[in-house]
């Protein structure tokens, strides 16, 4: 494909994406086809002779699009909605066109320096502590996901707790990680990969009302482990849990970590974006205690997957934990000590030029544009919560500090699960569920850039009328 052919095909692809976005509302949010439908529509092998891009675009329409869950649909309220945007896609397109590998400063100086600057911009935008800024000992890096951020934080914490010994001899069974019972599954996965084992993770109980970690229980667990000769290594606190968006009390947790010398990693994957709004920064009180912190612009900041922003207060600890320098990567810039080599800040060696999409996004929307997106999500969630509270067949299952609303039918687990299944089957909305205090709970996460007040009204109307018919069936008439 020469540059002129690329120009022509590229315009057609951009047109296809623009058409996709402008027709999303009319599509069912989830695929209505049984498993195997897409696979059956694909040939068993590749074509012998090449085909035009138009042929692929045609199959995108007939084979792929009908088999998708449309994560950017205005009625997509599951998990946390995708947050890509025009500028994000364009930045990613440039990154793809450049094909730069940013593993070392020397393999793409602009790739490294733009990333450092974007993470400094973001740290300022969220009001994060000065010690995460690259002008001091700390700094930021883009990871693919919050799961990777938790893994590298765990490795750096092990490095610290073992006095560097784990690098030479691996881990023994004494190192312990702590997170609330509401902590994300990636914490357990990171502990498993790092060699702590599933038993190495201490689940700490939460307050039944707020679902936030109980500091007294954390202290008791750390003290019990110390008494047993174990090594408290890392605490992962969450700002905005996946299940209900609960906020762990960082000021108390941070003070405990400081007292016992335990690494504090703050996982703000979804709710970190809220800190772009000064009125929502209460959620980040105590973040100055963090040794590391991450959030996902791909979850709520108008950036396409994958983009996790991760900071450490002392980059040297992270680099010492992860660096391996073979002869073929040696170069004068690295040896000068004057540059950042991001390969030492992550698990893989190679890395894409992901800072470009952040640069496009931050410049297109500006600070106020990003704040408007967050505020719209928070306001729409509040609008829905008001409707739920005003209908006595429903109840809220947790507070809604951000854009996630957790609720259920008072009638119980079975009717609540049936309600979710029925509204999702219409193809007009997509919600997911969790359990709160053991009870089946519906989650409605606002955040898709296309979702507006009328979509929340529509979703509530659908929930309300579906509950009408469901509860009428449940009530014996004889
Ligand atoms: C979504 C989520 C994660 C995992 O995010 P990825 O970026 O997909 O790995 C981790 N922690 C929390 C609190 C989350 O909500």
């Amino acid at each position: 494909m020469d540059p002129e052919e690329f120009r022509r095909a590229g315009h057609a692809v951009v047109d296809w994406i623009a058409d996709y976005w402008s027709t999303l509302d009319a599509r069912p949010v989830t695929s209505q086809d049984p498993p195997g439908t897409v696979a059956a529509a694909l040939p068993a092998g590749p074509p012998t002779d090449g085909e035009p891009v138009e042929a692929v675009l045609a199959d995108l329409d007939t084979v792929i699009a009908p088999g998708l869950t449309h994560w950017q649909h205005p009625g997509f309220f599951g998990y946390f909605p995708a947050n890509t945007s025009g500028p994000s896609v364009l930045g990613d397109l440039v990154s793809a066109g450049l094909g730069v590998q940013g593993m070392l400063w020397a393999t793409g100086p602009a790739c490294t320096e733009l990333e450092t600057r974007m993470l400094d911009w973001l740290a300022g935008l969220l009001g994060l502590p000065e010690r995460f800024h690259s002008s001091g000992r700390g700094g930021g890096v883009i990871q693919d996901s919050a799961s990777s951020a938790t893994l590298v934080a765990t490795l750096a914490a092990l490095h610290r707790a073992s006095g560097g010994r784990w690098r030479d001899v691996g881990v023994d069974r004494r190192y312990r990680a702590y997170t609330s019972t509401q902590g994300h599954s990636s914490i357990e996965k990171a502990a498993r990969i790092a060699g702590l084992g599933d038993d190495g993770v201490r689940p700490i109980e939460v307050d039944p009302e707020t679902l936030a970690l109980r500091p007294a229980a954390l202290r008791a667990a750390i003290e019990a482990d110390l008494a047993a000769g174990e090594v408290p290594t890392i605490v992962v606190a969450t700002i905005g849990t996946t299940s209900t968006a609960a906020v762990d009390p960082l000021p108390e947790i941070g003070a405990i970590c400081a007292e016992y010398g335990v690494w504090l990693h703050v996982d703000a994957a979804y709710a970190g974006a809220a800190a772009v709004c000064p009125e929502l920064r209460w959620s980040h009180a105590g973040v100055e205690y963090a040794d590391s912190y991450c959030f996902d612009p791909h979850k709520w900041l108008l950036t396409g997957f994958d983009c996790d922003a991760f900071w450490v207060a002392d980059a040297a600890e992270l680099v010492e934990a992860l660096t391996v320098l073979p002869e073929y990567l040696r170069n004068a810039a690295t040896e000068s000590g004057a540059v950042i080599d991001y390969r030492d800040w992550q698990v893989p060696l190679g890395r894409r030029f992901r800072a470009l999409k952040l640069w496009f996004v931050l410049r297109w929307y500006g600070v106020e544009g990003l704040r408007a997106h967050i505020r719209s999500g928070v306001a729409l969630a509040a609008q829905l919560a008001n409707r739920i509270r005003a209908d006595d067949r429903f109840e809220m299952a947790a507070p809604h500090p951000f854009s996630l609303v957790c609720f259920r039918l008072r009638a119980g687990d079975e009717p609540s699960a049936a309600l979710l299944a029925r509204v999702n089957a219409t193809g007009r909305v997509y919600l997911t569920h969790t359990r709160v205090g053991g009870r089946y709970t519906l989650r409605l996460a606002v955040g898709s850039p296309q979702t507006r007040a009328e979509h929340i009204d529509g979703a509530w109307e659908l929930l309300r009328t579906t509950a009408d018919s469901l509860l009428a069936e449940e009530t014996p008439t004889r």
Side-chain angles (χ1 to χ4, degrees):
M1 185 180 275
D2 65 31
E4 282 314 312
E5 287 170 318
F6 174 78
R7 190 187 310 282
R8 206 183 46 76
H11 286 157
V13 170
V14 169
D15 280 343
W16 189 91
I17 297 172
D19 289 342
Y20 172 74
W21 284 343
S22 56
T23 54
L24 261 177
D25 212 348
R27 298 171 191 252
V29 190
T30 49
S31 171
Q32 310 295 303
D33 299 327
T37 305
V38 175
L42 295 169
T48 307
D49 298 309
E51 297 177 71
V53 167
E54 281 69 21
V56 183
L57 287 178
D59 287 351
L60 269 183
D61 282 324
T62 55
V63 179
I64 303 298
L68 286 176
T69 299
H70 299 289
W71 276 71
Q72 297 174 81
H73 194 287
F76 185 100
F77 302 115
Y79 312 104
F80 293 113
N83 252 250
T84 200
S85 63
S88 175
V89 169
L90 296 176
D92 245 354
L93 187 58
V94 175
S95 170
L98 294 174
V100 165
Q101 272 288 352
M103 52 203 182
L104 300 167
W105 177 88
T107 63
C111 178
T112 295
E113 293 185 18
L114 182 68
E115 184 160 332
T116 305
R117 186 51 61 96
M118 288 307 100
L119 273 285
D120 284 343
W121 279 13
L122 273 182
L125 194 57
L126 269 63
L128 296 180
E130 198 54 38
R131 62 201 203 119
F132 289 148
H133 198 277
S134 70
S135 55
R137 295 160 60 87
V141 60
I142 301 175
Q143 304 281 346
D144 54 359
S145 74
S147 303
S148 295
T150 301
L151 175 58
V152 297
T154 303
L155 298 175
L158 261 176
H159 188 69
R160 182 197 282 180
S162 68
R165 268 178 54 79
W166 79 286
R167 254 180 54 169
D168 307 324
V169 299
V171 283
D172 55 38
R173 304 297 305 175
R174 295 177 303 129
Y175 298 96
R176 297 287 174 256
Y178 308 80
T179 192
S180 92
T181 56
Q182 306 295 303
H184 191 264
S185 55
S186 55
I187 299 160
E188 218 170 300
K189 197 190 260 186
R192 198 183 290 173
I193 297 169
L196 276 63
D198 290 359
D199 292 346
V201 183
R202 304 292 197 217
I204 308 298
E205 68 184 50
V206 295
D207 178 288
E209 288 303 311
T210 62
L211 301 167
L213 180 145
R214 289 193 47 233
L218 174 64
R219 176 183 294 280
I222 289 175
E223 284 179 354
D225 282 342
L226 282 172
E230 280 145 13
V231 185
T233 302
I234 184 170
V235 172
V236 182
T238 311
I239 301 177
T241 58
T242 316
S243 179
T244 65
V247 179
D248 287 339
L250 284 189
E252 288 86 348
I253 295 169
I256 293 170
C257 289
E259 185 179 333
Y260 294 100
V262 183
W263 185 287
L264 175 60
H265 175 62
V266 175
D267 177 2
Y270 149 69
V276 304
C277 297
E279 72 274 19
L280 293 169
R281 288 210 187 131
W282 56 264
S283 59
H284 281 57
V287 73
E288 63 277 5
Y289 284 108
D291 293 287
S292 55
Y293 169 96
C294 82
F295 88 105
D296 288 348
H298 67 238
K299 273 192 175 158
W300 200 13
L301 209 62
L302 297 166
T303 305
F305 192 84
D306 50 352
C307 188
D308 171 85
F310 172 71
W311 288 268
V312 280
D314 184 352
E317 281 181 309
L318 178 63
V319 170
E320 269 174 37
L322 298 185
T323 193
V324 182
L325 183 59
E327 184 57 33
Y328 46 81
L329 293 179
R330 288 187 190 277
N331 66 90
T334 296
E335 260 137 56
S336 77
V339 300
I340 292 175
D341 292 327
Y342 277 130
R343 72 187 180 101
D344 293 332
W345 296 51
Q346 62 174 23
V347 173
L349 170 62
R351 54 203 325 275
R352 300 195 301 121
F353 197 166
R354 280 180 297 222
L356 278 171
K357 63 184 167 191
L358 273 178
W359 196 37
F360 271 62
V361 165
L362 294 171
R363 292 182 68 178
W364 174 265
Y365 291 102
V367 174
E368 286 307 326
L370 298 173
R371 286 179 178 153
H373 174 59
I374 298 294
R375 285 175 181 144
S376 139
V378 172
L380 294 176
Q383 173 190 330
L384 177 75
N386 286 339
R387 304 265 164 79
I388 292 169
R389 281 195 209 91
D391 187 324
D392 56 16
R393 298 165 309 163
F394 286 83
E395 66 183 1
M396 294 289 290
H400 60 97
F402 307 110
S403 67
L404 171 67
V405 183
C406 296
F407 60 99
R408 59 196 166 214
L409 285 171
R410 289 186 197 274
D413 285 1
E414 262 180 48
S416 293
L419 176 63
L420 180 81
R422 284 202 198 178
V423 296
N424 283 351
T426 65
R428 288 162 57 198
V429 295
Y430 183 64
L431 281 67
T432 52
H433 81 281
T434 186
R435 279 188 185 271
V436 176
R439 296 173 62 188
Y440 192 96
T441 299
L442 290 81
R443 290 172 78 264
L444 192 153
V446 187
S448 166
Q450 291 207 19
T451 302
R452 293 183 303 275
E454 71 234 42
H455 301 109
I456 299 297
D457 288 341
W460 171 245
E461 207 43 35
L462 182 60
L463 285 161
R464 192 183 62 75
T465 54
T466 309
D468 283 346
S469 42
L470 194 79
L471 295 172
E473 291 162 24
E474 300 261 323
T475 315
T477 46
R478 277 167 290 147

